[in-house]
Amino acid sequence: MTEIFTLGEALGVVSADRLRHDTDVRLDVAGAELTAAVGLARLGHSVTWLGRVGVDELGARILTVLRGEGVDVSHAQTDSAAPTGLAIRQRRIGRVGHVVHYRGGSAGSRLGPGDIPARALQSAKVLHVTGITPALSGTAWSAAHHAIKLAREAGVAVSVDVNHRPQLWVDRQEAVEALTELAMGADVLFANQDELQLIEPAIGTVRELVVTRGGKGASATINGMRYDAQAAPVTVVDPVGAGGSFVAGYLSGMLEELHPTDRLRRGSALAAFTVASHSPWQGLPTRSELPPLTF
């Protein structure tokens, strides 16, 4: 049995100041669901990650990272017909970056309903999905919705992070329709302030709505009652991964039945650890490293 079951695409990331000139670049792996999985595992929770990776070095690196962090990847698929996805990030001004994705036809985009292990998912306490997965392909869209259907049938709580990535959608209207439909299947819904307008019709249907506001903190509205917490003070090195880290902290607190304010504090603490690092997951804390108020 696993506490958290999550699915999505993990990919390689090459980071540079200016790729045409740099001879030294940084290679990492990333993915919102990967970050959440690692964050939860480092806090001692049992986590299963499902995705497809290519039979290549990047795919091997992704699975090696997850296994090394204690995440169950026994249901992950290796795809000999497609490569692992890749993103290239270039830093332009300060912390503002330019990202180019090479995800079309990737192994991760070929995730489908047939890849979902019903028994493993339905034995979990929480299913976590993001709005990134449905944007990848028609089969990935079907996989996310099939997973939610299986979870609902078994009484597994559904967590959805809107995670709107405009570059992955044909246009805004397509994103609004798909993300709203996804959000309506959530028990716990995560969105940043700007994403609320995208999923407005779903807001009233969600039992637990968590809204992040960057440096202004975060709030949770649960059955009509609102709770707030300040952002953890931190010097930002790289903001990538903050969302997935926050989700990990909040879901950890939810699993442990912490007060909503303490769930928010734990989410903010994990996000702070992440943005203080160059990697979206390597800086995540273990249980012993959590600040006292979030323990």
Side-chain angles (χ1 to χ4, degrees), residues 9 63 114 119 198 200 214 235 244:
E9 181 176 34
L63 296 181
R119 183 176 298 179
L198 292 172
E200 189 172 356
T235 299

Side-chain angles (χ1 to χ4, degrees), residues 26 28-44 47 65-66 69 71 238 240-250 252 266-291:
R26 178 183 176 85
D28 203 352
V29 296
E33 300 85 1
L34 179 148
T35 296
V38 172
L40 282 155
R42 285 196 180 176
L43 295 182
V47 188
V65 164
L66 288 167
E69 293 294 333
V71 176
D238 191 330
V240 175
S245 301
F246 181 92
V247 165
Y250 189 92
S252 169
R266 184 174 289 183
S268 296
L270 262 67
F273 272 94
T274 287
V275 302
S277 167
H278 286 287
S279 168
W281 61 272
Q282 291 184 34
L284 283 162
T286 61
R287 175 78 59 164
S288 63
E289 292 173 322
L290 281 178

Side-chain angles (χ1 to χ4, degrees), residues 113-173:
D115 295 322
I116 310 295
R119 183 176 298 179
L121 188 159
Q122 292 182 321
S123 68
K125 294 181 179 179
V126 179
L127 165 69
H128 177 65
V129 299
T130 79
I132 297 172
T133 303
L136 298 176
S137 68
T139 61
W141 183 96
S142 297
H145 284 276
H146 182 57
I148 291 174
K149 178 177 179 291
L150 290 173
R152 291 219 162 273
E153 289 174 352
V156 175
V158 177
S159 164
V160 174
D161 183 1
V162 175
N163 224 319
H164 177 224
R165 304 290 175 88
Q167 67 272 27
L168 298 180
W169 297 97
V170 172
D171 54 39
R172 180 181 173 84
Q173 186 57 37

Side-chain angles (χ1 to χ4, degrees), residues 10-12 27-30 34 49 51-69 71 73 76-79 82-85 107 281:
L11 63 164
L27 175 64
D28 203 352
V29 296
L34 179 148
W49 177 86
R52 295 179 75 91
V53 298
V55 184
D56 48 38
E57 289 300 301
L58 285 177
R61 182 166 179 152
I62 288 165
L63 296 181
T64 297
V65 164
L66 288 167
R67 286 194 193 99
E69 293 294 333
V71 176
V73 293
Q77 303 289 318
T78 52
D79 191 332
T84 303
W281 61 272

Side-chain angles (χ1 to χ4, degrees), residues 257-276:
E257 299 183 352
L258 298 186
H259 187 276
T261 302
D262 292 327
R263 299 177 200 174
L264 293 168
R265 287 172 176 162
R266 184 174 289 183
S268 296
L270 262 67
F273 272 94
T274 287
V275 302

